[in-house]
Amino acid sequence: MDWAYVNPFTGFVRFNNLKIYESKKDTLFFSAKSVTSDFNLIKLFSKTVEITELVVNKPRGTVINVRQHFNFDDMVLKFTPDNRSANKPSFHVNILAIKILHGEFYYIEKATPINYLIKDLNMESSGKRWNADTIASAFSLMSQNGKGGIKGNFTINVASQDYRFTSQVRNFDLEIIRQYLWELINYGFFSARLDATFRATGNFKNPELIDAHGRLAFSDFHLGKTKKDDYAAFEKLVVVIEHLNPKNQKFLFDSIILSRPVVKYEQFDSLDNVERLFGKAGANITDVTTRSGSFNLIIEIGRYLKSLTRNFFQSHYRINSFTVTHGDLKFNDFSLIEQFNIGVNSLSIHADSVDKNNSRIGVNIKSEIKPYGNLSISLSVNPKDSGDFDMSYHLNKIPASAFNPYLILYTSFPLDRGTIELNGVWNVRNGEIKSVNHLVVIDPRVSKRIKNKEMKWLPLPLIMLLVRERSNVIDYEIPISGNLKNPHFHLHDIIMDLLKNIFVKPVTIPYGISLRNAQSEIENSLTLKWNMRQTELSAKQKSFIKTMAEFLDENKTSTLNVYSTVYSLKEKEQILFFAAKKKYFLSTKRNNDFTKDDSIKVEMMSIKDPKFMHTLKKGSGAGDTLMFTIQDECYHYVGNSEVIHKYKEMMGRRDKVFQDFFVSNGTIERLKFHSDNTSVPYNGFSNYKIVYEGDVPHTLKRAYKAMHEFDSEGLRKRYGHDFKALVE
């Protein structure tokens, strides 16, 4: 220390700039700007050391944990009385008041590792008398980044280990959680903040003895691959607790509100994003939980919550209001030959009076589906029996083309038209199912076969011929019976429809041909479909554009609006795959010549070709990075700039070959081109949509009239289907 002051007449002691080092080391263990105390000298005559006040100003301390051995163990050992000695201590010690002002304490855990700082710690305690077991204190502190804090008070009985505390938490950064999380994950990013007002009594020995109420609010929660790539996230989770008492089996909540949750699940060639993060089958977590003598705060919190909620469903539980708003659930499958993406956004879940004492609990779920579609679920559950519920659901306006990645892989045929609707009713009692499910696919159409070594082949056009009804609709009812553990699917309706289509449908072939001709006439007059990476027009497309140009030339008051919708994600993916395979192919040749036959070979090469994939990993160094998808590896292999260049070049060529017809006959000024739409096309392919201003071609009018007649018939009218709306 710098200096010490001791007044033997008043009992006042002051140490200035006190420093205490580790035992037999030059490492600083504890320091303080000043330590002052007042002793009651008279008490010394009754063999009592009584400190009336102990004040520690600006203390700085470091606690180091090395596998459950702390750097203060030697101090504890030194001052621990020898229980084997029969001699009682000759002096008693009382501390009547303790104050810590503006302290900073570091906690360092070498094994995990953890390095955490508590800032601006202020504590005021009534101290402890030698013949009393209770310690009471008020405290406040700041989080490590200084942006949030905690204040409160507590009372502890050191003999019984009973406690009572109240706390107020404001914008507290949960950095300490992130550091423990690093022991459980292979990579990633985590952040979260906590606000809370909480009161509780309990016992450290028995977690079930807690009796608590208060409000917890977690905000800006993020867990994922990077700061901008979340696997799980939410804007805010608010839990308002009315009464929590596991011992008396009471779990009473006023409300649970979850705002803007995000959950993303991704499937790769090897493992998924969760297993990539936590190890195969959660191996990282298992390793930590089975390691003897280890401590992980997240695991301990999990165990504590598990012990608290062990008898939750046997207890009296109540949630006055449960709400989820603006949810976003995503599923990406990168294990296919092209990626599959689907999501649920704007998800809302609402349940009122979730109470075990109620006869039923009602839950309503609504959401939009990406890229297109809607979902609604109505659920009524018996809170005393999870095998007793009623559910009705409805999915509609889902494009069949969204499932092309699976169809292409397993049949070689994509769909470029079709809308899926699925609805059903489930009534379950004692686990026994009584369910009717209705599947409708409106106007499905098979596109041209895609040839690639990786793809399997199924005669999808023939299958469609068998499963479609004459109204160009697939319509099946699928009853389900049995029980929840062993459901039985009844396919009688499907089998009978197949037989009917085999024997009855040939009679209705002229109707089907007329229907498809009308559909094709409308579509061919309103849209120009581009296959992936296509830049040259087919003979049929040239005739279509030439007809439009001639119509403008003949109708001077008419104008054409062309709206370009580009499936940029898929187009860039296909450009990327071709560029990567081409680079690999050229690396296997003795020269850099790339012929038309070579182009066909590259087109036919599987993106999952073992030699090609080995070259990707070797050339990109993907084994040492977070590149989990073949798309990431290809981008690293060929470079993002080349893909962007080829994409812009493709778009320019498409616009040029389309507009050349109107330039050549002098009608280009009445062609309005709009090329800024990069949303996902409903039919799964990039396209130009044509909108006429003024007169409309007679063939299109005739086709509209025919389709109106078809859609007004009983077979199609009941689906509420408007073909024109789908095209638009």
Side-chain angles (χ1 to χ4, degrees), residues 45 144 159 164 178 277 381 389 398 457 562:
F45 295 102
Q144 181 167 268
R164 176 185 292 108
R178 184 190 69 81
L277 194 65
V381 184
F389 65 88
I398 301 173
W457 179 81
V562 180

Side-chain angles (χ1 to χ4, degrees), residues 402-416:
F403 300 94
N404 277 343
Y406 292 100
L407 290 171
I408 292 171
L409 178 62
Y410 294 109
T411 71
S412 297
F413 292 96
L415 296 178
D416 64 3

